[in-house]
């Protein structure tokens, strides 16, 4: 592992967590308060890490009910539960206190690749290789809306972080679409060519709303992350972040607010690196080189500290934690 140090410090490995998985670790996400970390695997299981009593983290609970690999995980805002999307065509809701599967959301006709919750924790959205987006009532585990969203597999869903009235979806068809949650109407369609991209309809690998609902951060398989301003019509490109490798795997990008250093964007790369960019300038400020020895599948910033969690296709199946050291 090599770390590019910018003035002010660098990210250092603080822990390497073993979730006991039999296949690669496919996704990871911090709880909203940062006290728990959920990691899931292509073996169909998940693990909840928490305080081990000595300042580190250890597996507290295991999530075991999916019949096939898990692709995505999301937390409720009160951290009472997590939801997972799986190749077994289901979404499952897990009690974060017990590890029990409380609900199963069934109805997709193919792999479920992505999942997200609205701010009120009342609605869940899922995207599938069946090219649809489903919106579910969390309380009864029933689909309240099915949207024929794209012409290829859906790789991203994200509710507007402000009030949850708008849902973003991304797909291998290269399109980023915004949907009115109440009506299911498509409000707008965004694609890379609008920003002068040379890669026509580069497949969309991930998309996430900003907390204020004004922006969507979108990753595409032309090794680019774009920040779109979506609070006005027409939507416009605000920033472009380059330097990662992304052509095959759907590794997400994320917003990160470093407590002492301001706003940033983070993303993993298929060459095993993890990159950090300044949000305002779009300049890359830090690179954790060889963070993993295989493609990085997920990077999630800690919600209150200048720290990151990452996982990859590596055969060691570990989740790595990185802390910024000045």
């Amino acid at each position: 592992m090599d770390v590019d140090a910018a003035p002010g410090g660098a990210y250092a490995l603080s822990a390497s967590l073993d979730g006991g998985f039999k296949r690669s670790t496919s996704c990871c996400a911090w709880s909203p308060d940062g006290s728990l970390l959920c990691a899931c695997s292509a073996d169909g299981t998940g693990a909840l890490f928490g305080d081990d009593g000595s300042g580190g983290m250890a597996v507290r609970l295991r999530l075991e009910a999916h019949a096939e690999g898990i692709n995505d995980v999301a937390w409720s805002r009160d951290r009472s539960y997590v939801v997972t999307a799986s190749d077994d065509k289901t979404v499952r809701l897990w009690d974060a206190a017990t590890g029990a599967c409380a609900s199963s959301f069934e109805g997709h006709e193919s792999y479920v690749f992505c999942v997200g919750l609205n701010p009120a924790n009342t609605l869940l959205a899922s995207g599938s290789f069946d090219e649809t987006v489903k919106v579910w009532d969390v309380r009864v585990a029933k689909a309240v809306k099915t949207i024929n969203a794209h012409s290829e597999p859906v790789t991203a869903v994200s509710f507007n972080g402000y009030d949850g009235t708008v849902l973003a979806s991304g797909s291998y068809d290269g399109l980023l679409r915004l949907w009115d949650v109440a009506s299911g109407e498509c409000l707008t369609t965004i694609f890379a060519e609008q920003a002068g991209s040379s890669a026509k309809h580069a497949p969309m690998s991930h998309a996430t709303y900003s907390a204020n609902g004004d922006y969507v951060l979108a990753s595409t398989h032309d090794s680019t992350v774009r920040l779109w301003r979506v609070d006005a019509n027409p939507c416009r490109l605000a920033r472009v972040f380059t330097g990662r490798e992304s052509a095959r795997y759907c590794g997400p990008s994320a917003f990160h607010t470093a407590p002492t250093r301001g706003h940033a964007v983070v993303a993993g790369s298929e060459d095993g690196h993890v990159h950090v960019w300044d949000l305002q300038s779009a300049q890359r400020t830090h690179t954790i080189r060889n963070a993993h020895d295989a493609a990085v599948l997920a990077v999630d910033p800690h919600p209150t500290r200048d720290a990151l969690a990452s996982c990859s296709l590596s055969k060691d199946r570990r989740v790595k934690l990185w802390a910024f050291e000045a």
Side-chain angles (χ1 to χ4, degrees):
M1 177 198 69
D2 301 310
V3 178
D4 280 0
Y11 285 92
L13 182 67
S14 61
S16 180
L17 306 179
D18 183 359
F21 301 132
K22 297 178 180 178
R23 297 182 65 187
S24 60
T25 307
S26 52
C27 53
C28 59
W30 292 101
S31 62
D33 64 357
S35 64
L36 299 172
L37 177 69
C38 184
C40 299
S41 169
D43 69 9
T45 69
L48 285 182
F49 295 89
D51 187 357
D52 66 0
S54 60
M57 300 191 82
V59 176
R60 291 177 50 180
L61 296 168
R62 296 201 60 79
L63 312 179
E64 298 179 337
H66 280 297
E68 297 187 42
I70 297 172
N71 298 309
D72 198 13
V73 60
W75 282 88
S76 64
R77 284 204 172 184
D78 62 3
R79 76 150 227 186
S80 64
Y81 62 84
V82 292
V83 291
T84 53
S86 170
D87 282 352
D88 66 9
K89 306 178 186 179
T90 72
V91 172
R92 291 184 182 268
L93 184 150
W94 309 84
D95 187 320
T98 66
C101 179
S103 303
S104 179
F105 301 77
E106 301 177 11
H108 279 295
E109 297 178 0
S110 188
Y111 312 134
V112 187
F113 197 77
C114 48
V115 66
L117 289 156
N118 73 343
N121 300 326
T122 55
L123 296 176
L124 179 156
S126 58
S128 168
F129 270 51
D130 65 13
E131 302 172 4
T132 70
V133 169
K134 287 185 180 289
V135 179
W136 310 80
D137 185 328
V138 171
R139 295 161 293 189
V140 295
K142 299 293 184 183
V144 296
K145 196 167 271 75
T146 297
I147 303 171
N148 294 314
H150 293 276
S151 60
E152 293 192 45
V154 179
T155 53
V157 288
S158 178
F159 282 97
N160 174 329
Y162 176 67
D163 59 11
T165 58
V166 180
L167 177 70
S169 69
S171 166
Y172 281 164
D173 64 12
L175 303 179
L176 171 65
R177 285 186 163 141
L178 306 183
W179 306 90
D180 180 86
V181 173
S183 67
E185 176 186 357
C186 183
L187 302 175
T188 190
T189 297
I190 303 168
F191 50 94
E193 279 186 307
Q194 291 173 314
S197 170
S198 59
K200 183 177 181 180
H201 292 324
M204 188 78 59
S205 60
H206 188 260
T208 185
Y209 256 107
S210 62
N212 64 8
D214 292 345
Y215 296 89
V216 172
L217 190 66
S219 306
T220 48
H221 280 326
D222 57 358
S223 299
T224 302
V225 179
R226 295 177 177 85
L227 181 68
W228 295 93
R229 181 144 197 172
V230 298
D231 63 338
N233 192 9
C235 301
R236 64 177 180 84
L237 182 67
R239 305 280 190 281
V240 177
F241 306 89
T242 60
R244 70 187 298 224
E245 290 185 15
S246 176
R248 181 177 180 185
Y249 300 106
C250 290
S253 52
F255 294 102
H256 177 36
T257 301
T260 60
R261 298 185 300 110
H263 301 290
V265 167
V266 301
S269 180
E270 291 177 9
D271 55 13
H273 304 338
V274 171
H275 299 291
V276 182
W277 297 265
D278 178 79
L279 179 63
Q280 297 303 319
S281 68
Q283 296 300 305
R284 190 167 37 170
T285 59
H286 300 84
T287 296
I288 308 172
R289 296 190 179 277
N290 305 309
H292 296 270
D293 61 9
V296 179
L297 298 181
V299 180
D300 195 48
H302 194 278
T304 62
R305 301 198 305 266
D306 198 349
L308 310 171
S310 63
C311 61
S312 76
L313 277 174
S314 175
K315 293 181 180 179
D316 67 15
R317 309 178 189 113
R318 290 189 173 257
V319 181
K320 294 187 177 181
L321 306 185
W322 309 91
F324 187 81
E325 295 182 353

